[in-house]
C-alpha cells in the first residue's frame, strides 16, 4: 500500500515538528509538506497534492478559514482536518461550511488526532468529543444566533478586523478592493447588530472567533 501523505499547516515550527513526529510514528503515514500561512498552504497543496491537510485556524494574516476555502476552490476533493485551539461551536461550524471534513481541538488526546486523520483520509467526517458537545449544546440552546448568518469569508474578515487589522491591510492580504472590504464590514456589523467597531470586536471575542492569546492591536476607528 502507498503511504498516506499529509500536509501540516501551523505558524509554529515547533508545533509542526510535534505533529510530524506523532503522525509519522503511525505505520504508512508520511508528512510531505508544511506551511505557516494561508498563501503558503495553498501553494504547498498545489505542489504536493497530499491526501490529508491538518490545518490550524489561527494563522498570521488570512487565517485557516480562508486557506480552506481557497484550497477547496482549487480542489473540490481536498480532505482538510482542522486542528485548532478554538473550542467555539460557531467557528467549527464555519470551518465545515468552508469545506473542512473534520475538526479536532488541540486539547484533545493525541490519539484523537490520529483517528481523525484516518477517518478524513477515508472520506469521512470527524469531530473531537469536546467540540461535538459544544455543537450539540449550541443547537439545543440556539446559541449560534446571528453568527449563523455569516459566510466563511465574512467570519475571516471579522477575525482579521477584530485582531486590529485595518480595512486597507485586509484588502491587501485577501486581494480584495478596499470598497469590497468596507462593504463586508458594513454587512457584518448589520448582521451581528454591532453598534460600534468596539462592540463588533467584543462580539467576535465572545463568539470564540478570536483566541485570548492571539495578538490584538487597537481596533480601527
Amino acid at each position: 500500500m502507498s503511504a498516506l501523505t499529509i500536509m501540516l499547516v501551523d505558524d509554529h515550527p515547533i508545533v509542526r515538528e510535534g505533529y510530524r513526529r506523532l503522525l509519522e510514528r503511525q505505520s504508512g503515514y508520511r508528512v510531505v509538506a508544511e506551511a505557516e500561512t494561508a498563501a503558503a498552504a495553498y501553494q504547498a497543496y498545489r505542489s504536493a497534492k497530499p491526501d490529508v491537510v491538518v490545518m490550524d485556524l489561527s494563522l498570521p494574516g488570512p487565517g485557516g478559514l480562508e486557506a480552506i476555502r481557497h484550497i477547496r476552490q482549487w480542489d473540490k476533493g481536498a480532505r482538510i482536518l482542522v486542528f485548532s485551539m478554538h473550542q467555539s461551536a460557531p467557528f467549527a461550524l464555519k470551518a465545515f461550511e468552508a469545506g473542512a471534513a473534520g475538526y479536532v481541538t488541540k486539547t484533545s488526546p493525541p490519539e484523537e488526532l490520529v483517528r481523525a486523520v484516518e477517518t478524513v483520509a477515508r472520506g469521512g467526517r470527524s469531530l473531537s468529543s469536546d467540540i461535538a458537545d459544544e455543537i450539540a449544546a449550541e443547537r439545543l440552546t440556539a446559541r449560534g444566533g446571528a453568527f449563523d448568518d455569516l459566510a466563511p469569508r465574512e467570519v475571516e474578515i471579522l477575525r482579521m478586523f477584530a485582531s486590529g487589522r485595518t480595512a486597507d491591510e485586509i484588502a491587501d492580504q485577501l486581494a480584495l478592493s478596499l470598497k469590497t472590504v468596507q462593504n463586508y464590514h458594513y454587512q457584518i456589523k448589520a448582521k451581528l447588530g454591532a453598534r460600534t467597531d468596539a462592540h463588533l470586536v467584543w462580539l467576535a471575542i465572545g463568539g470564540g472567533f478570536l483566541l485570548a492569546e492571539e495578538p490584538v492591536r487597537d481596533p480601527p476607528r
Side-chain angles (χ1 to χ4, degrees):
M1 291 178 60
S2 59
L4 175 70
T5 58
I6 301 167
M7 182 172 87
L8 304 177
V9 185
D10 193 291
D11 63 331
H12 296 97
I14 294 176
V15 173
R16 293 200 306 273
E17 178 62 25
Y19 302 163
R20 176 188 284 271
R21 291 183 180 183
L22 169 67
L23 294 169
E24 290 192 335
R25 282 203 301 265
Q26 315 307 311
S27 176
Y29 283 27
R30 184 163 60 94
V31 175
V32 295
E34 297 184 19
E36 59 183 20
T37 67
Y42 175 68
Q43 295 300 329
Y45 184 88
R46 293 190 62 172
S47 176
K49 298 182 179 63
D51 297 316
V52 176
V53 179
V54 178
M55 172 84 68
D56 192 11
L57 290 178
S58 298
L59 303 174
L65 287 180
E66 187 70 9
I68 294 169
R69 194 185 66 81
H70 205 182
I71 289 172
R72 290 276 298 180
Q73 279 183 335
W74 187 75
D75 179 7
K76 297 296 186 186
R79 295 172 179 175
I80 303 173
L81 169 66
V82 171
F83 190 46
S84 173
M85 284 298 296
H86 284 281
Q87 292 179 286
S88 157
F91 214 169
L93 291 168
K94 292 306 174 184
F96 280 105
E97 189 178 332
Y103 197 108
V104 175
T105 61
K106 290 183 177 179
T107 56
S108 303
E111 56 269 20
E112 195 148 17
L113 173 62
V114 174
R115 284 197 298 269
V117 169
E118 181 181 353
T119 299
V120 169
R122 293 198 309 263
R125 289 179 173 267
S126 183
L127 279 172
S128 57
S129 56
D130 54 352
I131 203 67
D133 289 344
E134 279 291 312
I135 291 174
E138 184 219 80
R139 285 300 181 240
L140 287 172
T141 59
R143 288 192 324 223
F147 290 117
D148 289 344
D149 295 332
L150 297 182
R153 167 148 278 193
E154 290 175 322
V155 169
E156 188 58 36
I157 290 174
L158 171 62
R159 185 193 71 85
M160 295 175 74
F161 179 82
S163 67
R165 288 179 176 81
T166 66
D168 284 316
E169 289 172 327
I170 296 171
D172 181 61
Q173 292 176 7
L174 296 183
L176 298 172
S177 71
L178 177 59
K179 181 65 173 176
T180 297
V181 172
Q182 290 170 335
N183 286 340
Y184 271 121
H185 182 199
Y186 174 81
Q187 291 166 6
I188 292 166
K189 288 180 71 174
K191 287 182 178 181
L192 297 182
R195 298 180 299 276
T196 64
D197 286 349
H199 186 203
L200 185 63
V201 172
W202 181 82
L203 289 171
I205 295 172
F209 293 106
L210 192 71
L211 289 174
E213 59 266 29
E214 287 188 69
V216 179
R217 293 180 274 173
D218 290 335
R221 301 190 183 278

